[in-house]
Amino acid sequence: MTESSPHTTSSFAALGRLLKYARGYRRQIIAATTCSIINKLFDIAPEILIGIAIDVVVNKEESFVAGLGFETAQEQITILAVLTFFIWAGESIFEYLFQILWRNLAQRLQSDLRQDAYEHAQKLDMSFFEARSSGQLVATMNDDVNQLERFLDGGANAMIQVVVTVVAVGAVFFVLSPLIALLAFTPIPLIIWGAFYFQRKAGPLYADVREKVGDLSSRLANNLGGIATIKSFTAENREAERLKASSEAYVDANRRAIRISSAFIPVIRMAILAGFLATFTVGGMMALEGSLNVGAYGVLVFLTQRLLWPLTGLAEVIDLFERAMASTRRILDLLAEPVHVRDDSGQTLEQPVKGEVTFEGVSFRYPSSGAGIDDISVAIPAGNTLALVGATGSGKSTLIKLLLRFYDPTGGQIRIDGQPIQSVSLKSLREAIGLVSQDVYLFEGSIRDNLAYGSPGASDEQIIEAAKTAEAWSFIEALPEGLATAVGERGVRLSGGQRQRLSLARALLKDPPILVLDEATSAVDNETEAAIQRSLKRIGHNRTVIMIAHRLSTIVDADTIAVVAGGRILESGRHEELLENNGPYSAQWRVQTGQA
């Protein structure tokens, strides 16, 4: 995910992007905004009523209310009391409504943002995940989304009500006394300038805060995932220090942001004091001279506080706003990440899939490293087994990634049963392929859940049959809870060999016409390897199998063995033919069998 520079992408631009994303919530936003506005209008009304009450007490039958038909001062006070009741009731009702509307909107929007970000991330190319840490992505989908939720819970309403206060109180001021209005509003340009000044200063700092949060999350995720390695190397103290460094970097980033936002309040308070003193002093002099009604003077004094003092909270609102917009940029940047491996085809592989796989002059290079393959052509008839051998980095796994369309080739074509794989949907393609990789990933849950991951509707009988075929049932059956046994996070409660057999059983339960084994026996013991080999002899019939292996003893029965080096196929054939060729395969065989 590319972090946009806060110097080029302003917080208000981020707000505009957010509003564009949230256009489906337009009615909720309008309703919540309307309730916030009405609530604030009700909120400032009591100050006006206090001024009118003072006018009633001072002028009695000649007061403003008397001109509305209420002759006695008692009637006037009574009607003001009734109005006050309804105003307070209205304020309470609309406060309840805007709280409900804004909070529900925050919950709905944060949930949809997180879901959309996750679903979009699932569509991104493998290169995206290989270039970024999982901790950064988790921080974006979790902490950044929560930061936006916190702003919508209270900050959005606060910003709206500040604007409403300035406009509504300003209107009353100019009606009662344009001169005092000008004096009271004199500090507001300074306050607004200060708000934008601090916003510009705080924006980059809060972007840095969000970056440090991602770094800290990544450090925690990596350390907890590698706790066994940390313990085995007695590196606890070293890792604790590295985590402390990341945590301190986050604290320092926050400290810089807090220093800027905290400086805002004292500056604004002095500007507010100047405006209040102007109203208090000049208005008092005008009231003494008789050029200003005493009740109006009371209204102006009370409203000056109502106008200016809430602006001290602007610093906190801007602080919340900046944090939220920094998070919003990261979320929306993730949503804007382009998907290069497109899934635009609605076609499916012709059924039943026979499993014939053809690589025709396929070339590919990884953008980051430049490694890859060049002009590889190989045909695997349906039901045959192809074994790929070669040194690490020769391009074997790249062929598998291209077959699964984790990447698209830069040249050439891959076909299944004669159909170009780019012409069929990813779902149709990947449903036809079962993958068993060296790095087995088991999800937290039971053995049953993991075996049925690719076939959620499978019965226990089908699960057990697949486990028996993969020679995994014997150890599953011996466990106290059998299929209900919890595997732990990433399968930590099972041995490597057990995880590998479960991975094979999971692929078999899917019953794919094409089975891919990416070094599935490289990290297991001899007993597990022998068990997997027996399984492969049973399951290889009527199924296309593509194997990547370092141990040549596991592939001697393959129909075709291809030796890959430097991104090219050096030689191919059956085991006996390659030994007779006395080439790279024969040399490797002699080394592994101790004949060299």
Side-chain angles (χ1 to χ4, degrees):
M1 181 173 40
T2 303
E3 178 70 38
S4 298
S5 168
H7 298 289
T8 57
T9 306
S10 72
S11 296
F12 292 106
L15 178 61
R17 292 173 67 191
L18 177 63
L19 291 174
K20 185 177 180 181
Y21 170 84
R23 56 184 176 273
Y25 302 90
R26 192 169 298 153
R27 289 184 179 179
Q28 295 97 311
I29 293 172
I30 292 173
T33 301
T34 301
C35 289
S36 292
I37 292 171
I38 295 174
N39 168 262
K40 180 49 63 175
L41 293 176
F42 276 126
D43 184 48
I44 63 177
E47 275 73 13
I48 298 175
L49 292 180
I50 290 172
I52 295 174
I54 293 172
D55 179 52
V56 169
V57 172
V58 172
N59 296 315
K60 297 182 177 60
E61 285 77 12
E62 297 179 3
S63 69
F64 168 75
V65 179
L68 300 176
F70 301 95
E71 297 179 359
T72 67
Q74 289 78 6
E75 288 180 340
Q76 296 171 30
I77 293 295
T78 301
I79 194 63
L80 289 177
V82 172
L83 280 174
T84 300
F85 172 81
F86 282 108
I87 286 171
W88 277 70
E91 180 188 358
S92 299
I93 290 170
F94 281 96
E95 181 169 0
Y96 169 78
L97 291 175
F98 84 63
Q99 293 269 14
I100 289 290
L101 289 168
W102 279 119
R103 290 183 177 181
N104 285 339
L105 176 65
Q107 292 299 314
R108 187 70 268 151
L109 190 57
Q110 65 90 15
S111 176
D112 288 352
L113 261 175
R114 183 180 290 110
Q115 188 68 27
D116 288 348
Y118 175 74
E119 290 182 7
H120 181 71
Q122 287 192 126
K123 297 174 184 176
L124 294 173
D125 312 334
M126 290 303 296
S127 58
F128 174 84
F129 297 97
E130 291 168 356
R132 290 159 178 83
S133 72
S134 58
Q136 286 281 359
L137 293 174
V138 170
T140 297
M141 295 185 198
N142 190 39
D143 193 70
D144 283 330
V145 171
N146 290 340
Q147 192 69 52
L148 177 59
E149 177 196 353
R150 284 190 283 273
F151 169 70
L152 292 174
D153 267 344
N157 170 72
M159 290 184 73
I160 291 168
Q161 292 201 335
V162 165
V163 174
V164 172
T165 299
V166 171
V167 173
V169 172
V172 174
F173 265 57
F174 278 99
V175 168
L176 294 178
S177 173
L179 173 61
I180 294 180
L182 289 173
L183 294 173
F185 272 72
T186 298
I188 289 183
L190 176 61
I191 295 171
I192 294 174
W193 173 85
F196 281 99
Y197 172 80
F198 284 105
Q199 180 264 325
R200 286 196 302 273
K201 290 288 186 181
L205 298 178
Y206 281 119
D208 187 46
V209 168
R210 303 318 312 154
E211 194 67 31
K212 294 298 187 292
V213 167
D215 293 341
L216 186 57
S217 297
S218 182
R219 173 70 61 193
L220 283 167
N222 286 336
N223 284 14
L224 293 175
I227 193 68
T229 303
I230 292 172
K231 286 178 176 293
S232 68
F233 283 93
T234 62
E236 291 92 339
N237 291 338
R238 189 191 329 151
E239 290 302 332
E241 287 300 318
R242 293 172 70 181
L243 179 64
K244 184 178 180 180
S246 295
S247 184
E248 286 299 320
Y250 172 58
V251 170
D252 288 341
N254 255 313
R255 186 182 293 120
R256 289 190 294 272
I258 291 169
R259 188 183 301 122
I260 289 293
S261 61
S262 297
F264 180 69
I265 294 178
V267 172
I268 298 308
R269 286 176 68 91
M270 296 311 296
I272 288 170
L273 177 62
F276 178 75
L277 288 176
T279 303
F280 184 80
T281 305
V282 175
M285 296 298 180
M286 292 175 65
L288 290 172
E289 294 171 359
S291 59
L292 180 66
N293 183 284
V294 174
Y297 173 61
V299 170
L300 291 174
V301 170
F302 284 120
L303 283 184
T304 300
Q305 288 187 316
R306 176 63 70 182
L307 170 68
L308 298 177
W309 284 115
L311 293 178
T312 58
L314 201 57
E316 184 178 348
V317 174
I318 288 177
D319 183 82
L320 197 59
F321 175 71
E322 282 300 333
R323 290 177 182 268
M325 291 306 103
S327 293
T328 297
R329 279 193 292 271
R330 286 163 56 93
I331 300 164
L332 296 180
D333 284 348
L334 173 58
L335 285 169
E337 279 287 339
V339 178
H340 298 293
V341 177
R342 308 296 302 179
D343 188 19
D344 299 326
S345 174
Q347 297 183 32
T348 60
L349 286 170
E350 294 179 6
Q351 302 296 320
V353 178
K354 300 183 182 72
E356 179 188 0
V357 179
T358 309
F359 293 85
E360 301 173 352
V362 175
S363 298
F364 174 78
R365 291 285 166 186
Y366 293 99
S368 57
S369 65
I373 57 174
D374 293 305
D375 195 28
I376 283 186
S377 296
V378 61
I380 314 161
N384 277 24
T385 296
L386 168 70
L388 299 170
V389 299
T392 300
S394 59
K396 306 182 302 298
S397 294
T398 298
L399 286 170
I400 302 305
K401 292 177 181 178
L402 293 173
L403 176 63
L404 285 160
R405 282 201 73 200
F406 290 162
Y407 300 91
D408 280 333
T410 53
Q413 187 71 264
I414 303 173
R415 300 178 185 272
I416 293 179
D417 294 347
Q419 289 182 264
I421 61 173
Q422 287 175 277
S423 69
V424 299
S425 69
L426 290 175
K427 184 175 187 294
S428 173
L429 170 67
R430 292 171 184 169
E431 282 181 345
I433 303 172
L435 174 65
V436 183
S437 64
Q438 176 184 5
D439 184 19
V440 177
Y441 192 98
L442 297 180
F443 295 90
E444 190 168 8
S446 69
I447 289 177
R448 178 188 288 104
D449 295 337
N450 276 279
L451 291 182
Y453 188 75
S455 309
S459 65
D460 277 3
E461 290 75 16
Q462 292 171 313
I463 292 172
I464 292 170
E465 184 61 33
K468 287 179 177 178
T469 305
E471 301 211 12
W473 180 243
S474 57
F475 84 79
I476 296 174
E477 193 177 26
L479 294 170
E481 297 181 73
L483 287 172
T485 301
V487 302
E489 188 175 5
R490 295 182 65 91
V492 294
R493 296 180 184 174
L494 303 175
S495 70
Q498 289 172 334
R499 291 196 296 269
Q500 197 65 264
R501 294 190 210 185
L502 290 182
S503 177
L504 181 58
R506 179 168 60 188
L508 294 178
L509 185 60
K510 184 180 174 182
D511 193 26
I514 302 168
L515 181 64
V516 175
L517 304 171
D518 188 355
E519 300 187 35
T521 63
S522 63
V524 299
D525 55 42
N526 291 333
E527 180 186 350
T528 302
E529 180 187 349
I532 291 175
Q533 283 299 108
R534 290 193 298 270
S535 301
L536 291 177
K537 289 180 180 179
R538 289 195 298 272
I539 65 179
H541 298 294
N542 301 319
R543 193 191 310 270
T544 302
V545 180
I546 302 176
M547 302 173 61
I548 294 177
H550 282 300
R551 299 180 188 178
L552 301 187
S553 60
T554 63
I555 60 162
V556 294
D557 295 324
D559 296 295
T560 305
I561 300 171
V563 180
V564 185
R568 295 180 179 274
I569 293 179
L570 299 185
E571 59 178 350
S572 64
R574 296 186 65 86
H575 173 70
E576 296 80 7
E577 296 170 352
L578 294 175
L579 289 181
E580 291 176 2
N581 288 346
N582 203 29
Y585 180 84
S586 177
Q588 190 175 349
W589 174 263
R590 289 195 297 272
V591 170
Q592 291 194 12
T593 56
Q595 300 174 26

